[in-house]
């Protein structure tokens, strides 16, 4: 699954990870071998740090955008008690620019529709008769408008609450609603604009990071071999790709072949702490061995 998705961009051609490793050749242009080992490892380290920093910055910018958009989308979804009402109501649902009258929006449970119709005119003085209108419904409630005199608002809110009707604080403001809508469009467009380049950047830089990682593995094989077997350099590096079930058998065969190289390997156990020997919880073999994991991502469909 993962190898078909995770390919490396190598000289403008995509190759899968296993192919790249099996055909591995040291990149002389990127990492000149005339330089010291220390310099080469610093070049690789700087490159990896740069990729990491870029990734953090790009991911952060994209996630902020995504988060802001989700917050706005969340406001436009959910229960009538909490969601934004801007995309539900229309200008004609309100009495606007009146010195005395104001239109309120009330959330009424579906089981309370009949009660609302019977009582809304008497919840406070100065409610305009027959002024209520059902504007919107969700699964549990309906949003009703009602018009009353401004001076009766507080009294109306109090009585509505007693009757299990929820008055929403909402002022019809065309400018604000337009600005919200534009913000949502802008965020949505920006998110789409950033997504493509981000994925392209990830593909290119995944390749760069993986290629750097394999060069580090090659460096480690070289350094470890010199440390173990001394100079002049005399060793052969190779790749083995066993099935999981053959791993144990392969280790046994390799051990029999190379145990003469290091007699201490037989007795060293990864759990033993030997001063000056950094085993980092890996088993120790009479040959230099590094694992390369090609299943870096397990995709769940």
């Amino acid at each position: 699954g993962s190898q078909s998705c995770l390919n490396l961009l190598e000289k403008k051609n995509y190759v899968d990870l296993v192919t790249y490793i099996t055909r591995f050749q040291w990149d002389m242009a990127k990492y000149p071998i005339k330089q010291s080992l220390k310099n080469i490892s610093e070049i690789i380290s700087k490159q990896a740090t740069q990729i990491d920093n870029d990734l953090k910055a790009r991911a952060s910018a994209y996630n902020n955008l995504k988060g802001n958009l989700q917050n706005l989308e969340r406001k436009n979804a959910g229960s009538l008690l909490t969601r934004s009402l801007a995309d539900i109501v229309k200008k004609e649902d309100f009495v606007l620019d009146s010195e005395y009258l104001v239109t309120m929006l009330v959330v009424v449970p579906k089981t309370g529709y009949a009660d609302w119709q019977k009582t809304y005119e008497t919840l406070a003085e100065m409610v305009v008769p027959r002024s209520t209108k059902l504007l919107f419904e969700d699964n549990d409630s309906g949003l009703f408008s009602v018009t009353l005199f401004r001076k009766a608002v507080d009294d109306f809110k109090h009585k509505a609450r007693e009757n299990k009707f929820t008055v929403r604080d909402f002022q019809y403001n065309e400018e604000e609603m337009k600005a919200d809508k534009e913000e949502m469009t802008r965020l949505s467009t920006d998110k789409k604009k950033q997504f493509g380049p981000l994925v392209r950047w990830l593909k290119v830089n995944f390749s760069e990071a993986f290629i750097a990682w394999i060069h580090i593995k090659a460096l480690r094989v070289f350094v470890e071999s010199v440390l173990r077997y001394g100079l002049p350099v005399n060793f052969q590096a190779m790749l083995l790709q066993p099935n999981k079930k053959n791993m144990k058998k392969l280790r046994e065969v390799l051990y029999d072949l190379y145990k003469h190289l290091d007699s201490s390997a037989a007795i060293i156990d990864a759990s033993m702490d030997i001063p000056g020997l950094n085993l980092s919880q890996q088993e120790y073999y009479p040959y230099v061995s590094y694992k390369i994991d090609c299943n870096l991502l397990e995709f769940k469909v």
Side-chain angles (χ1 to χ4, degrees), residues 32 34 64 66 84 94 128 164 193-194 197 253 261 281:
K34 288 212 164 74
N64 282 343
K66 196 171 153 193
S84 162
F94 295 83
V128 176
K164 307 271 190 306
K193 264 192 211 156
Q194 279 197 23
V253 170
L261 293 173
Q281 300 307 303

Side-chain angles (χ1 to χ4, degrees), residues 30 61-62 254 265:
K30 263 190 189 164
Y62 182 76
L254 288 171

Side-chain angles (χ1 to χ4, degrees), residues 189-207:
T189 310
D190 282 359
K191 185 185 158 201
K192 280 185 196 128
K193 264 192 211 156
Q194 279 197 23
F195 184 73
L198 179 64
V199 169
R200 282 193 294 280
W201 184 91
L202 286 168
K203 281 181 179 173
V204 169
N205 285 278
F206 172 80
S207 299

Side-chain angles (χ1 to χ4, degrees), residues 8-11 20 24-25 27 30-31 44 47 204-217:
L8 292 180
L9 181 62
E10 190 196 14
K11 297 187 176 66
Y20 172 75
F24 174 75
Q25 284 184 313
D27 189 330
K30 263 190 189 164
Y31 314 117
I44 297 174
Q47 184 194 2
V204 169
N205 285 278
F206 172 80
S207 299
E208 292 292 325
F210 189 86
I211 289 165
W213 184 50
I214 300 303
H215 279 76
I216 287 278
K217 293 275 187 193

Side-chain angles (χ1 to χ4, degrees), residues 234-294:
N234 179 18
F235 67 87
Q236 174 65 51
M238 61 187 66
L239 283 162
L240 298 169
Q241 193 185 6
N243 296 330
K244 263 191 182 160
K245 58 180 183 213
N246 296 339
M247 276 294 280
K248 195 163 177 280
K249 179 75 182 151
L250 174 67
R251 288 290 184 201
E252 285 165 9
V253 170
L254 288 171
Y255 178 73
D256 286 339
L257 276 170
Y258 300 115
K259 62 185 173 195
H260 65 281
L261 293 173
D262 189 344
S263 56
S264 62
I267 55 157
I268 290 183
D269 174 3
S271 59
M272 286 170 65
D273 186 19
I274 297 169
L277 236 181
N278 180 15
L279 298 175
S280 66
Q281 300 307 303
Q282 290 177 346
E283 288 179 50
Y284 185 80
Y285 307 105
Y287 47 89
V288 176
S289 173
Y290 292 113
K291 185 182 171 198
I292 298 172
D293 191 353
C294 290

Side-chain angles (χ1 to χ4, degrees), residues 1 8 12 16 32 34 40 49 60 71 87 111 117 127 155 160 180 199 201 228 234 246 251 256 261 286 300:
L8 292 180
K12 304 220 167 129
D16 66 78
K34 288 212 164 74
I40 292 171
T49 305
S60 170
N71 287 340
D87 60 334
T111 51
Q117 293 291 358
V127 175
D155 198 22
D180 279 356
V199 169
W201 184 91
R228 285 214 208 177
N234 179 18
N246 296 339
R251 288 290 184 201
D256 286 339
L261 293 173
K300 289 185 180 130

